[in-house]
Amino acid sequence: MTTRPFRFGAVAGYAPSGGAWTGLARRAEQLGYDTLLIPDTLGTFAPFPALAAAAAVTTGLRLGTYVLSAPNRTPGQVAWEARALQSLSDGRFELGLGAGRPGAEADTDKLGVPYGTPAERVARLTETIDAAGEMPILIAAAGPRLLRLAARRADTIALAVPAQSTEEQLAAKLDELYELAGDRFPKLELNLNLAAIGEDLPPWLRQQVGGEPHGVGFLKGSVEEMAETLQKRRERLGISYISINAYYLEAFAPVVERLSGT
């Protein structure tokens, strides 16, 4: 298995002001994070203007959607906005796409666009990839349809598994991806999002993850122990791109400093 250098992303969707948002972007860059990632929900900032604002106050930080919900926009609209942001950020934008998270139908109802069946959403996602052209693509995938598409078309795959998944369940999902990707597998960058760092799980996050903090989405221990866990996981499973909830931006920074680029 090819060992890629670690990359680290911070996932944030909202701040109380423009200054707080751009300050978060600056701080992520100062702490050595590689990417600032934003989800696509009506409860967070609209992704493209928020990332444009972050691009304007940073120089090396990469910026990504994590991930755009395919039903929310036409493929042409995504391509138009993505190319504009790629230009405005001097090439630092990374386009992340998905077919719609659980509950995303409520957003499309408010937007006045059809959510579609699973097959229709995957077809819309495929059309969006086609419209994006040569732009590198991250696809969030867990089910067979999306894993199959990601195996063929993605540059980076965000493994959309529940935070409470065991290492064995995660390994089984990667075995499935390996079979689908074939010769492409070594070319794929693999991402896993961490829901929480350490023992600090605020009530809102405990409710969001729906249970106790046990599983691959929860990283605990000292800086050395957390770094060792990620190194072993990369050695065994090839996962080199780690993203975290920006709530833990400062707490996770020592791990970023220890592993970034290694």
Side-chain angles (χ1 to χ4, degrees), residues 219-232 254-255 258-259:
L219 191 63
K220 301 177 183 180
S222 66
V223 170
E224 292 76 12
E225 288 168 337
M226 289 190 287
E228 184 178 2
T229 295
L230 294 178
Q231 287 172 315
K232 287 181 177 179
V255 179
R258 182 175 292 263
L259 293 180

PDB file of all heavy atoms in Angstrom, residues 219-232 254-255 258-259:
ATOM      1  N   LEU A 219     -11.138  10.151  18.804  1.00  0.00           N
ATOM      2  CA  LEU A 219      -9.706   9.954  19.025  1.00  0.00           C
ATOM      3  C   LEU A 219      -9.364  10.423  20.432  1.00  0.00           C
ATOM      4  O   LEU A 219      -9.601  11.582  20.788  1.00  0.00           O
ATOM      5  CB  LEU A 219      -8.909  10.750  17.989  1.00  0.00           C
ATOM      6  CG  LEU A 219      -7.415  10.463  17.886  1.00  0.00           C
ATOM      7  CD1 LEU A 219      -7.170   9.017  17.459  1.00  0.00           C
ATOM      8  CD2 LEU A 219      -6.751  11.415  16.912  1.00  0.00           C
ATOM      9  N   LYS A 220      -8.792   9.513  21.226  1.00  0.00           N
ATOM     10  CA  LYS A 220      -8.517   9.812  22.627  1.00  0.00           C
ATOM     11  C   LYS A 220      -7.058   9.544  22.955  1.00  0.00           C
ATOM     12  O   LYS A 220      -6.335   8.927  22.184  1.00  0.00           O
ATOM     13  CB  LYS A 220      -9.410   8.955  23.531  1.00  0.00           C
ATOM     14  CG  LYS A 220     -10.899   9.144  23.298  1.00  0.00           C
ATOM     15  CD  LYS A 220     -11.709   8.219  24.180  1.00  0.00           C
ATOM     16  CE  LYS A 220     -13.191   8.335  23.920  1.00  0.00           C
ATOM     17  NZ  LYS A 220     -13.991   7.428  24.772  1.00  0.00           N
ATOM     18  N   GLY A 221      -6.665  10.002  24.157  1.00  0.00           N
ATOM     19  CA  GLY A 221      -5.313   9.752  24.632  1.00  0.00           C
ATOM     20  C   GLY A 221      -4.447  10.981  24.601  1.00  0.00           C
ATOM     21  O   GLY A 221      -4.892  12.093  24.280  1.00  0.00           O
ATOM     22  N   SER A 222      -3.171  10.792  24.916  1.00  0.00           N
ATOM     23  CA  SER A 222      -2.195  11.872  24.851  1.00  0.00           C
ATOM     24  C   SER A 222      -1.895  12.205  23.398  1.00  0.00           C
ATOM     25  O   SER A 222      -2.321  11.486  22.478  1.00  0.00           O
ATOM     26  CB  SER A 222      -0.909  11.451  25.559  1.00  0.00           C
ATOM     27  OG  SER A 222      -0.298  10.377  24.844  1.00  0.00           O
ATOM     28  N   VAL A 223      -1.152  13.285  23.190  1.00  0.00           N
ATOM     29  CA  VAL A 223      -0.752  13.640  21.827  1.00  0.00           C
ATOM     30  C   VAL A 223      -0.011  12.479  21.183  1.00  0.00           C
ATOM     31  O   VAL A 223      -0.260  12.125  20.029  1.00  0.00           O
ATOM     32  CB  VAL A 223       0.123  14.910  21.837  1.00  0.00           C
ATOM     33  CG1 VAL A 223       0.738  15.150  20.466  1.00  0.00           C
ATOM     34  CG2 VAL A 223      -0.699  16.115  22.275  1.00  0.00           C
ATOM     35  N   GLU A 224       0.893  11.874  21.933  1.00  0.00           N
ATOM     36  CA  GLU A 224       1.664  10.759  21.398  1.00  0.00           C
ATOM     37  C   GLU A 224       0.772   9.569  21.053  1.00  0.00           C
ATOM     38  O   GLU A 224       0.942   8.916  20.013  1.00  0.00           O
ATOM     39  CB  GLU A 224       2.734  10.320  22.410  1.00  0.00           C
ATOM     40  CG  GLU A 224       3.847  11.328  22.623  1.00  0.00           C
ATOM     41  CD  GLU A 224       3.431  12.516  23.503  1.00  0.00           C
ATOM     42  OE1 GLU A 224       2.346  12.443  24.143  1.00  0.00           O
ATOM     43  OE2 GLU A 224       4.172  13.505  23.537  1.00  0.00           O
ATOM     44  N   GLU A 225      -0.198   9.287  21.934  1.00  0.00           N
ATOM     45  CA  GLU A 225      -1.092   8.152  21.692  1.00  0.00           C
ATOM     46  C   GLU A 225      -2.011   8.403  20.502  1.00  0.00           C
ATOM     47  O   GLU A 225      -2.248   7.502  19.694  1.00  0.00           O
ATOM     48  CB  GLU A 225      -1.914   7.884  22.954  1.00  0.00           C
ATOM     49  CG  GLU A 225      -1.087   7.279  24.085  1.00  0.00           C
ATOM     50  CD  GLU A 225      -1.817   7.282  25.411  1.00  0.00           C
ATOM     51  OE1 GLU A 225      -2.749   8.107  25.605  1.00  0.00           O
ATOM     52  OE2 GLU A 225      -1.452   6.465  26.277  1.00  0.00           O
ATOM     53  N   MET A 226      -2.521   9.634  20.379  1.00  0.00           N
ATOM     54  CA  MET A 226      -3.371   9.945  19.240  1.00  0.00           C
ATOM     55  C   MET A 226      -2.581   9.866  17.936  1.00  0.00           C
ATOM     56  O   MET A 226      -3.069   9.332  16.930  1.00  0.00           O
ATOM     57  CB  MET A 226      -4.006  11.328  19.412  1.00  0.00           C
ATOM     58  CG  MET A 226      -5.072  11.379  20.491  1.00  0.00           C
ATOM     59  SD  MET A 226      -6.044  12.921  20.512  1.00  0.00           S
ATOM     60  CE  MET A 226      -4.836  14.065  21.180  1.00  0.00           C
ATOM     61  N   ALA A 227      -1.370  10.390  17.938  1.00  0.00           N
ATOM     62  CA  ALA A 227      -0.528  10.321  16.743  1.00  0.00           C
ATOM     63  C   ALA A 227      -0.236   8.876  16.369  1.00  0.00           C
ATOM     64  O   ALA A 227      -0.280   8.497  15.186  1.00  0.00           O
ATOM     65  CB  ALA A 227       0.776  11.084  16.978  1.00  0.00           C
ATOM     66  N   GLU A 228       0.027   8.046  17.371  1.00  0.00           N
ATOM     67  CA  GLU A 228       0.318   6.636  17.104  1.00  0.00           C
ATOM     68  C   GLU A 228      -0.899   5.922  16.518  1.00  0.00           C
ATOM     69  O   GLU A 228      -0.777   5.112  15.602  1.00  0.00           O
ATOM     70  CB  GLU A 228       0.755   5.944  18.394  1.00  0.00           C
ATOM     71  CG  GLU A 228       1.175   4.491  18.193  1.00  0.00           C
ATOM     72  CD  GLU A 228       1.656   3.837  19.468  1.00  0.00           C
ATOM     73  OE1 GLU A 228       1.643   4.473  20.530  1.00  0.00           O
ATOM     74  OE2 GLU A 228       2.039   2.640  19.392  1.00  0.00           O
ATOM     75  N   THR A 229      -2.100   6.242  17.025  1.00  0.00           N
ATOM     76  CA  THR A 229      -3.325   5.642  16.493  1.00  0.00           C
ATOM     77  C   THR A 229      -3.486   5.972  15.016  1.00  0.00           C
ATOM     78  O   THR A 229      -3.796   5.104  14.190  1.00  0.00           O
ATOM     79  CB  THR A 229      -4.553   6.143  17.271  1.00  0.00           C
ATOM     80  OG1 THR A 229      -4.466   5.691  18.628  1.00  0.00           O
ATOM     81  CG2 THR A 229      -5.845   5.630  16.648  1.00  0.00           C
ATOM     82  N   LEU A 230      -3.266   7.243  14.662  1.00  0.00           N
ATOM     83  CA  LEU A 230      -3.425   7.650  13.269  1.00  0.00           C
ATOM     84  C   LEU A 230      -2.350   7.027  12.377  1.00  0.00           C
ATOM     85  O   LEU A 230      -2.630   6.652  11.232  1.00  0.00           O
ATOM     86  CB  LEU A 230      -3.386   9.168  13.168  1.00  0.00           C
ATOM     87  CG  LEU A 230      -4.541   9.907  13.843  1.00  0.00           C
ATOM     88  CD1 LEU A 230      -4.361  11.419  13.712  1.00  0.00           C
ATOM     89  CD2 LEU A 230      -5.887   9.478  13.273  1.00  0.00           C
ATOM     90  N   GLN A 231      -1.139   6.909  12.894  1.00  0.00           N
ATOM     91  CA  GLN A 231      -0.072   6.281  12.108  1.00  0.00           C
ATOM     92  C   GLN A 231      -0.368   4.807  11.860  1.00  0.00           C
ATOM     93  O   GLN A 231      -0.179   4.306  10.745  1.00  0.00           O
ATOM     94  CB  GLN A 231       1.260   6.446  12.834  1.00  0.00           C
ATOM     95  CG  GLN A 231       1.810   7.871  12.779  1.00  0.00           C
ATOM     96  CD  GLN A 231       3.039   8.042  13.663  1.00  0.00           C
ATOM     97  OE1 GLN A 231       3.069   7.580  14.810  1.00  0.00           O
ATOM     98  NE2 GLN A 231       4.054   8.713  13.148  1.00  0.00           N
ATOM     99  N   LYS A 232      -0.839   4.108  12.880  1.00  0.00           N
ATOM    100  CA  LYS A 232      -1.170   2.691  12.721  1.00  0.00           C
ATOM    101  C   LYS A 232      -2.337   2.510  11.757  1.00  0.00           C
ATOM    102  O   LYS A 232      -2.354   1.586  10.949  1.00  0.00           O
ATOM    103  CB  LYS A 232      -1.490   2.078  14.082  1.00  0.00           C
ATOM    104  CG  LYS A 232      -0.268   1.870  14.969  1.00  0.00           C
ATOM    105  CD  LYS A 232      -0.656   1.230  16.289  1.00  0.00           C
ATOM    106  CE  LYS A 232       0.571   0.947  17.142  1.00  0.00           C
ATOM    107  NZ  LYS A 232       0.221   0.351  18.458  1.00  0.00           N
ATOM    108  N   PRO A 254      -1.610  20.074  18.389  1.00  0.00           N
ATOM    109  CA  PRO A 254      -0.340  19.384  18.645  1.00  0.00           C
ATOM    110  C   PRO A 254      -0.154  18.113  17.813  1.00  0.00           C
ATOM    111  O   PRO A 254       0.969  17.766  17.449  1.00  0.00           O
ATOM    112  CB  PRO A 254      -0.399  19.072  20.148  1.00  0.00           C
ATOM    113  CG  PRO A 254      -1.327  20.090  20.720  1.00  0.00           C
ATOM    114  CD  PRO A 254      -2.365  20.290  19.641  1.00  0.00           C
ATOM    115  N   VAL A 255      -1.253  17.417  17.515  1.00  0.00           N
ATOM    116  CA  VAL A 255      -1.165  16.222  16.668  1.00  0.00           C
ATOM    117  C   VAL A 255      -0.850  16.625  15.240  1.00  0.00           C
ATOM    118  O   VAL A 255      -0.024  15.991  14.552  1.00  0.00           O
ATOM    119  CB  VAL A 255      -2.479  15.406  16.734  1.00  0.00           C
ATOM    120  CG1 VAL A 255      -2.377  14.173  15.832  1.00  0.00           C
ATOM    121  CG2 VAL A 255      -2.798  15.005  18.151  1.00  0.00           C
ATOM    122  N   ARG A 258       2.767  17.426  15.005  1.00  0.00           N
ATOM    123  CA  ARG A 258       3.611  16.237  15.072  1.00  0.00           C
ATOM    124  C   ARG A 258       3.618  15.433  13.775  1.00  0.00           C
ATOM    125  O   ARG A 258       4.649  14.900  13.363  1.00  0.00           O
ATOM    126  CB  ARG A 258       3.145  15.344  16.226  1.00  0.00           C
ATOM    127  CG  ARG A 258       3.976  14.079  16.428  1.00  0.00           C
ATOM    128  CD  ARG A 258       3.498  13.350  17.657  1.00  0.00           C
ATOM    129  NE  ARG A 258       3.798  14.118  18.861  1.00  0.00           N
ATOM    130  CZ  ARG A 258       4.862  13.930  19.648  1.00  0.00           C
ATOM    131  NH1 ARG A 258       5.740  12.991  19.347  1.00  0.00           N
ATOM    132  NH2 ARG A 258       5.057  14.662  20.708  1.00  0.00           N
ATOM    133  N   LEU A 259       2.471  15.367  13.088  1.00  0.00           N
ATOM    134  CA  LEU A 259       2.337  14.450  11.958  1.00  0.00           C
ATOM    135  C   LEU A 259       2.284  15.126  10.578  1.00  0.00           C
ATOM    136  O   LEU A 259       2.454  14.443   9.569  1.00  0.00           O
ATOM    137  CB  LEU A 259       1.062  13.611  12.112  1.00  0.00           C
ATOM    138  CG  LEU A 259       1.034  12.616  13.279  1.00  0.00           C
ATOM    139  CD1 LEU A 259      -0.283  11.870  13.285  1.00  0.00           C
ATOM    140  CD2 LEU A 259       2.198  11.641  13.212  1.00  0.00           C
TER     141      LEU A 259
END
